[in-house]
Amino acid sequence: MAIILKLMAVSVFKIIFPRKSKLKRPLNVFLLMTLISIPIISICMLSTAVISEIHIINQPNFIFILIATFIIYMNLCILYLYITLGNFYEKLEKTKTQKKVFESELKFFKQLKDSQSKLYSMKHDLKNQYVVLLGMLSQGDTAGAEKYLQNSIQTIEHIDYYFTNNYVLNYLLNEKKSIAERNGITLNVKSFFSEMIKLDTDIFAVVLGNLIDNSINAVLRLFNSKEKEISLLIKQLDNNLLIEISNVFDTAELQTRKNRRFEGIGIKNVKRIVEEYGGIYNQWIQDNQYIVSILLLNVNEKEDE
Amino acid sequence: MVIKVAICDDIPVIAKAIEDLMLEYDSSLFDIDIFYNPFRLIELLKENSYDLFILDFEFPNLSGIEIAETIRKNNYNCPIIFITNFKEYMEKAFKVNTFDYILKPVTKDKLYPTLNRAIKYLDLDDSKFMFTFNKVFYSLSFSEIIYFEKNKRKVLIHTPSDIYETILQTKALLSKINDNFVQVHNSFIVNVRYVKQISNNTITANLNDKQTVEIPISRKFIDSARKQILMKLRDLI
C-alpha cells in the first residue's frame, strides 16, 4: 500500500508542477484545490475501507459517516468542475462566433479596399482620357471626341448599380450582385429606408452578407436552373425596418440537409446581431420558397430637432 | 367601407392606367379622384380628405415631396405612394413618411402587392370590441386599444386616453379580439401596431406621441409572441 501511495503522490506532483511552470496566467486556486482533493480524498477513502477490513478501528458507524461525507464532498467537487467547464465552453463558443464576425468584417473591408484601389486606377485612367480628349479638341476633331466620350460613359455605366443612398450597403449589394450574376443568378433588390437609420456597418456586412451568401449557395445547389432568382427587400415604415430575402430552394434538402436546415453558415451570427438590436428573426418555407425575415424595431435616430 | 383615393399625375394616360388597375383590383373598394394638376389637389385638400394618395414624383414645376408635405400638415398617417422613374431620389422622400414607391411603368405585379399592404395598413376592419361594465354598454374600435390586462376577474382595456374595465375570462377575450393582437403573457394581450420595442422581458408600447408603456412578456409566450409580431408587422411594412 505504501508503494501505491508513493506512486500516487509522484504522479500528482508530476501533473501539478510542470504545469505550474507553464501556466503564466493566474491560477484558479479553487479549481486546483478541487482537482487535487479528488484523488487525495479517494485515496483516503480507499485506505479507510482497507483499514476497516483489517478491523483496526472498531467503529463501523464512524467509517460509514466518513465515507458518506467523502462521497458527498466528491460529488460537490464534480458539480463544481462541471460548472467551471460549462462556463469555459460557453466562453469558447462566444469567442468563436466573435471570431467569425471579425473575419467576415475583415473580408468586407478587404473588398472595400479593393474597390478603392479600383477607383483610384479609374481616376488615373480618367486623367489620361482627359489628355486624349484635350488633344482631340485642340485638333478640332469634335466627332472623334464625342465618340470617345460616349465609349467611356458606357464603360462607367456598367460598373455600378444603384440600390440605396447608403454607400456601404450599395457597395456590398453591388458586390453580391456581381457574384450572383457570375453564377447565373438574378438578385433583385428593393430597398426603401431612411438615411437616418441607427444601424452599424456590421448589420450590413454580417447580416446582409450572410443572408445573400446563404441564398446564393442554396440556389446554386438547385438542379433545374430555371428559377435562379433571389429577392431581397429592405423596407422601413415609421420606426420599423423589415429585411426579407427569399429564394427558390430544393425541398428535398429538408431531408438531406436536416441538420443544416436551421443552422446555415453564419446564421448564428445573423441571429446574434438581430438579437443585439432587439429585433426578431424568422425563417420559413412557403411552397418552394425559402424565406428569411428580420424585423428591427425602433430604428430611427432619436430626433434632436 | 370605401377607400377614398387621390391619384395625381400630369400625364392623363398614366393616371388612367392606375385607375383602371385599381378598379380591376376591386371595383367597389375604391372611390378614386384623378388630378392632372397638383395645385388643384392641394387646393382641394383644404376641404377634402383622402385615405390614400398615389402621386407622381416629378411635376414640371413642383416635386412630389412638396405635395406630400402639404398632405402631412393635416394627416400624418395616411399612406402616400409615389410613382417615379428614378429610385435614386426616393430615399429623400422618406422624411415625409412615404409608404412606398412604384417604378414606372406601373403594372399589376408592382401595384397590387403595394395596394395589399396599404389596405392592411389602413386597417379597414371596422369591427368593434364590445363589452359592458357597470351595466353600461361600451363599443371601442380595435385600433384604439393598446393592450388588455387581466387582473383577477377583471379585464383592463388600455387605450391612449382611458382605461376601461370589464369582466371576462381570458379564453372568451381571446376569441373576441381581431388578429392585430398577440398574447405575450398570461395576463397581457398587446396590439402589434403599438409595439415600439421588444426586450427579453418587456414590450415597450406607444401610449401616445411622447409616452410609452412597458408590458411584461413571460417566458412561456416570448418565442411565439415574437414570431407572431414579426409575421403581423411584415404585412404592414
Side-chain angles (χ1 to χ4, degrees):
Chain A
M1 213 182 93
I3 299 166
I4 295 174
L5 274 176
K6 250 188 190 172
L7 272 174
M8 285 278 198
V10 168
S11 56
V12 165
F13 275 115
K14 267 204 168 171
I15 290 166
I16 296 164
F17 282 105
R19 257 201 173 178
K20 235 182 180 172
S21 53
K22 265 189 216 166
L23 291 171
K24 284 190 178 119
R25 62 193 159 92
L27 214 70
N28 186 342
V29 184
F30 257 122
L31 188 65
L32 197 70
M33 270 165 64
T34 353
L35 266 174
I36 297 168
S37 68
I38 288 179
I40 291 178
I41 299 276
S42 50
I43 289 162
C44 287
M45 240 170 78
L46 193 72
S47 36
T48 359
V50 172
I51 290 165
S52 68
E53 280 292 305
I54 323 169
H55 299 291
I56 290 177
I57 305 166
N58 219 352
Q59 272 178 309
N61 269 347
F62 171 72
I63 287 166
F64 280 134
I65 290 167
L66 203 66
I67 290 176
T69 343
F70 285 166
I71 289 176
I72 289 169
Y73 172 75
M74 268 167 54
N75 274 309
L76 285 176
C77 285
I78 288 168
L79 197 70
Y80 171 73
L81 284 175
Y82 178 77
I83 291 167
T84 336
L85 265 180
N87 286 340
F88 174 73
Y89 274 111
E90 200 177 305
K91 248 186 217 165
L92 193 73
E93 192 62 26
K94 255 189 198 161
T95 331
K96 263 190 191 162
T97 43
Q98 228 154 31
K99 198 184 148 210
K100 271 237 169 101
V101 173
F102 283 136
E103 272 171 359
S104 56
E105 264 174 35
L106 199 70
K107 205 173 108 197
F108 176 70
F109 282 119
K110 265 189 192 144
Q111 285 175 344
L112 204 66
K113 207 175 124 192
D114 281 350
S115 93
Q116 273 297 318
S117 57
K118 229 189 267 172
L119 266 179
Y120 186 77
S121 71
M122 261 173 69
K123 208 170 145 192
H124 190 80
D125 281 353
L126 216 56
K127 203 174 154 193
N128 287 333
Q129 284 181 2
Y130 285 151
V131 174
V132 175
L133 268 177
L134 210 63
M136 280 176 166
L137 285 175
S138 66
Q139 295 283 317
D141 183 10
T142 42
E146 218 168 88
K147 207 177 163 195
Y148 191 82
L149 266 178
Q150 248 160 15
N151 273 340
S152 90
I153 283 172
Q154 261 172 14
T155 49
I156 287 174
E157 268 178 350
H158 275 283
I159 289 169
D160 264 352
Y161 294 96
Y162 171 84
F163 295 109
T164 162
N165 282 338
N166 182 313
Y167 68 95
V168 180
L169 180 53
N170 200 45
Y171 166 72
L172 181 94
L173 291 174
N174 264 301
E175 280 295 311
K176 296 295 177 196
K177 192 174 171 81
S178 67
I179 293 170
E181 271 172 1
R182 249 178 272 147
N183 291 302
I185 302 167
T186 331
L187 174 64
N188 293 320
V189 181
K190 174 160 181 176
S191 81
F192 187 42
F193 60 92
S194 154
E195 290 164 66
M196 304 292 285
I197 223 160
K198 57 167 184 199
L199 293 177
D200 290 334
T201 329
D202 54 350
I203 275 282
F204 297 139
V206 181
V207 173
L208 284 171
N210 276 318
L211 288 180
I212 297 171
D213 286 349
N214 279 351
S215 284
I216 289 176
N217 288 333
V219 173
L220 279 179
R221 288 195 301 269
L222 282 176
F223 283 115
N224 56 333
S225 48
K226 272 183 203 163
E227 299 158 309
K228 291 197 165 182
E229 204 175 280
I230 299 169
S231 326
L232 173 68
L233 173 76
I234 309 166
K235 190 165 182 294
Q236 184 190 2
L237 188 69
D238 300 332
N239 266 324
N240 304 330
L241 181 78
L242 179 74
I243 301 172
E244 194 161 293
I245 188 162
S246 60
N247 60 271
V248 174
F249 94 115
D250 187 1
T251 35
E253 284 185 4
L254 288 180
Q255 298 304 321
T256 55
R257 295 169 69 89
K258 233 173 194 167
N259 300 325
R260 304 209 35 197
R261 182 153 54 116
F262 296 108
E263 296 298 315
I265 307 160
I267 286 301
K268 252 190 205 165
N269 289 332
V270 173
K271 282 183 179 166
R272 186 185 57 81
I273 292 169
V274 169
E275 219 146 89
E276 261 171 35
Y277 279 87
I280 310 172
Y281 174 98
N282 196 14
Q283 58 187 34
W284 72 97
I285 292 151
Q286 203 169 52
D287 305 326
N288 59 346
Q289 290 270 326
Y290 187 82
I291 305 169
V292 175
S293 230
I294 292 171
L295 178 70
L296 298 166
L297 298 149
N298 205 19
V299 287
N300 267 346
E301 204 80 68
K302 266 178 199 152
E303 283 153 32
D304 298 323
E305 299 155 42
Chain B
M1 185 79 185
V2 174
I3 302 175
K4 286 191 76 187
V5 186
I7 299 175
C8 187
D9 198 312
D10 54 337
I11 303 162
V13 187
I14 296 179
K16 184 81 178 78
I18 297 169
E19 187 192 20
D20 287 347
L21 281 174
M22 289 182 81
L23 291 177
E24 200 188 320
Y25 181 91
D26 188 338
S27 53
S28 57
L29 185 62
F30 301 111
D31 173 12
I32 304 171
D33 284 350
I34 294 184
F35 300 87
Y36 301 133
N37 182 347
F39 295 106
R40 233 189 92 61
L41 170 64
I42 290 172
E43 191 60 33
L44 224 83
L45 275 175
K46 282 171 192 157
E47 62 238 37
N48 239 339
S49 78
Y50 292 94
D51 304 315
L52 172 65
F53 291 88
I54 298 178
L55 311 173
D56 190 11
F57 194 63
E58 301 96 7
F59 288 99
N61 40 18
L62 190 77
S63 89
I65 291 182
E66 287 170 83
I67 309 174
E69 276 169 353
T70 323
I71 295 167
R72 286 287 176 245
K73 270 179 204 159
N74 303 312
N75 188 337
Y76 191 72
N77 284 319
C78 69
I80 297 174
I81 298 167
F82 280 118
I83 308 290
T84 180
N85 276 318
F86 311 98
K87 58 179 168 183
E88 275 80 352
Y89 307 116
M90 285 321 294
E91 280 176 26
K92 290 194 179 63
F94 219 90
K95 62 174 192 226
V96 287
N97 200 27
T98 306
F99 185 75
D100 205 348
Y101 68 89
I102 296 171
L103 282 177
K104 284 180 194 171
V106 181
T107 58
K108 256 187 215 177
D109 298 349
K110 293 182 204 162
L111 181 67
Y112 287 3
T114 310
L115 277 183
N116 283 339
R117 285 184 298 105
I119 290 164
K120 269 196 185 149
Y121 180 80
L122 282 168
D123 203 9
L124 295 179
D125 180 15
D126 51 358
S127 57
K128 298 261 201 293
F129 183 71
M130 287 171 272
F131 59 94
T132 44
F133 183 66
N134 284 344
K135 289 175 184 159
V136 183
F137 180 82
Y138 293 92
S139 164
L140 288 174
S141 97
F142 281 115
S143 56
E144 57 180 315
I145 297 171
I146 303 172
Y147 67 103
F148 294 98
E149 181 181 357
K150 186 99 170 104
N151 192 339
K152 284 166 198 155
R153 287 184 63 221
K154 280 185 286 186
V155 172
L156 303 177
I157 302 151
H158 296 256
T159 69
S161 48
D162 284 298
I163 298 171
Y164 301 88
E165 264 181 48
T166 184
I167 289 171
L168 208 61
Q169 281 185 329
T170 312
K171 229 182 183 177
L173 174 64
L174 280 169
S175 68
K176 278 179 100 173
I177 51 182
N178 70 8
D179 35 282
N180 280 337
F181 289 87
V182 172
Q183 184 169 18
V184 297
H185 190 278
N186 270 331
S187 34
F188 289 93
I189 298 170
V190 182
N191 186 342
V192 289
R193 284 167 181 263
Y194 287 92
V195 171
K196 189 183 179 205
Q197 215 162 5
I198 304 176
S199 74
N200 285 331
N201 41 30
T202 52
I203 283 185
T204 314
N206 291 314
L207 205 57
N208 50 43
D209 286 344
K210 278 170 195 139
Q211 284 172 293
T212 57
V213 60
E214 305 252 302
I215 299 161
I217 319 178
S218 68
R219 276 200 177 183
K220 184 180 156 195
F221 288 101
I222 188 158
D223 285 333
S224 68
R226 281 160 59 97
K227 287 219 165 112
Q228 281 185 60
I229 291 170
L230 167 70
M231 297 310 273
K232 281 166 205 249
L233 283 178
R234 76 179 266 277
D235 285 340
L236 308 171
I237 293 174

